[in-house]
């Protein structure tokens, strides 16, 4: 059986990584337009660097939870028949042991050069304006897909959606496209669809089945039922 799992901020919530849309629409006190658009970066690069530098540093204080662990366990059984597509920019899937993970919205632990467009593994602050390790130009920005930009790996994601038998969405509000449209794409290719989310999401009605509760409980239970 081929499975695609889409994850969102909800899978990392119990690890202590804040979600985006649950509270007041602000991201840790900032307006989305200020910290998650190319225009916001052009206007106030130091603010945007400080925002993502803080989030990168905060990765040191969080750990994967049983939901990440369960997906890593599922990959041990399914191998190439499982693909995890995450909207998250944290590295908690990898730290649980998952290897077949696509970060469609980029990664905190990567820097993107606005000069040569290369992507480099990154752990340090970007606010100090370090040069690009590839071309030497001082044009590094967070390697995060902002509103108005095209997500990564769309070809591979749609190819997997086309082939999968089961599409599972975990901890995402279904508010942001193209990820919000994956359920309809998978269904149109014949996959069964399942939503695992704390609360009903904007797209709940699009799924064959929805289960509500914390990811740390729902995901391990689902994996256990699937592979024992
Ligand atoms: N278990 C399961 N689901 C949870 C949990 C939990 N413990 N806690 C919260 N949730 C659910 C919320 O009910 C909500 O539906 O996770 C979802 C989180 O939604 P968002 O904060 O909107 O996050 P996400 O869907 O990942 O956002 C998508 O939008 O802002 C952009 O690029 C950013 O990748 C992000 C994208």
């Amino acid at each position: 059986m081929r499975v695609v799992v889409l994850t969102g901020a909800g899978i990392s919530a119990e690890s202590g990584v804040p979600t985006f849309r649950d509270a007041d629409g602000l991201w840790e006190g900032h307006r989305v337009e200020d910290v998650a658009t190319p225009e916001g970066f052009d206007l106030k690069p130091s603010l945007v660097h400080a925002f993502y530098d803080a989030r990168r540093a905060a990765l040191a204080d969080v750990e994967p939870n049983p939901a990440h662990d369960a997906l890593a366990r599922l990959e041990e059984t399914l191998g190439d028949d499982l693909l995890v597509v995450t909207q998250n920019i944290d590295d908690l899937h990898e730290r649980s042991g998952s290897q077949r993970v696509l970060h469609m919205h980029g990664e905190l632990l990567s820097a993107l050069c606005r000069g040569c467009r290369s992507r480099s593994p990154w752990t340090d602050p970007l606010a100090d304006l370090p040069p690009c390790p590839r071309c030497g130009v001082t044009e590094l920005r967070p390697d995060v897909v902002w509103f108005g930009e095209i997500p990564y790996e769309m070809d591979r994601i749609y190819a997997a959606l086309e082939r999968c038998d089961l599409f599972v969405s975990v901890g995402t509000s279904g508010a942001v496209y193209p990820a919000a449209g994956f359920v309809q794409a998978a269904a149109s290719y014949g996959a069964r669809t399942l939503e695992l989310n704390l609360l009903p999401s904007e797209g709940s009605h699009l799924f064959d089945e929805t289960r509500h509760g914390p990811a740390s409980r729902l995901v391990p239970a689902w994996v256990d039922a699937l592979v024992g």
Side-chain angles (χ1 to χ4, degrees):
M1 175 168 46
R2 293 198 174 108
V3 182
V4 173
V5 178
L6 170 70
T7 66
I11 197 170
S12 296
E14 291 162 86
S15 293
V17 182
T19 57
F20 300 104
R21 290 179 184 74
D22 289 340
D24 48 9
L26 295 180
W27 289 6
E28 300 186 32
H30 295 284
R31 294 188 322 149
V32 169
E33 307 85 74
D34 292 340
V35 294
T37 62
E39 296 78 17
F41 182 63
D42 285 339
L43 214 56
K44 289 189 192 162
S46 56
L47 172 90
V48 176
H49 277 315
F51 178 77
Y52 290 98
D53 283 352
R55 296 172 74 91
R56 191 180 305 104
L59 290 180
D61 302 324
V62 297
E63 294 285 338
N65 68 57
H68 300 99
D69 293 344
L71 292 181
R73 194 152 48 83
L74 183 60
E75 188 184 286
E76 283 172 17
T77 305
L78 294 184
D80 284 336
D81 286 341
L82 174 68
L83 178 66
V84 174
V85 177
T86 188
Q87 298 166 88
N88 298 342
I89 56 177
D90 64 53
D91 63 340
L92 295 180
H93 284 302
E94 286 84 353
R95 281 203 253 158
S96 266
S98 287
Q99 294 176 23
R100 294 154 175 98
V101 182
L102 298 181
H103 283 267
M104 63 180 290
H105 289 168
E107 296 175 66
L108 279 171
L109 295 177
S110 176
L112 172 67
C113 179
R114 302 218 295 176
C116 71
R117 306 303 299 173
S118 63
R119 307 173 71 190
S120 302
W122 208 265
T123 52
D124 298 329
L126 286 170
D128 311 341
L129 304 182
C132 170
R134 197 70 64 84
C135 72
V137 173
T138 313
E139 284 277 7
L140 291 180
R141 56 162 270 187
D143 191 5
V144 171
V145 176
W146 289 324
F147 287 96
E149 297 182 321
I150 298 168
Y152 288 120
E153 304 281 11
M154 294 310 294
D155 291 351
R156 284 173 71 189
I157 293 169
Y158 279 108
L161 292 173
E162 197 172 332
R163 288 197 324 260
C164 76
D165 305 297
L166 175 61
F167 171 78
V168 184
S169 171
V170 181
T172 176
S173 58
V176 175
Y177 283 82
F182 290 170
V183 56
Q184 285 158 304
S188 76
Y189 295 124
R192 203 172 79 76
T193 58
L194 168 67
E195 178 182 66
L196 307 175
N197 207 53
L198 189 60
L199 305 166
S201 74
E202 290 185 26
S204 285
H205 62 285
L206 300 170
F207 289 81
D208 294 323
E209 183 186 348
T210 60
R211 297 178 197 166
H212 297 138
S216 65
R217 179 167 59 77
L218 294 188
V219 181
W222 167 67
V223 169
D224 285 347
L226 201 65
V227 297

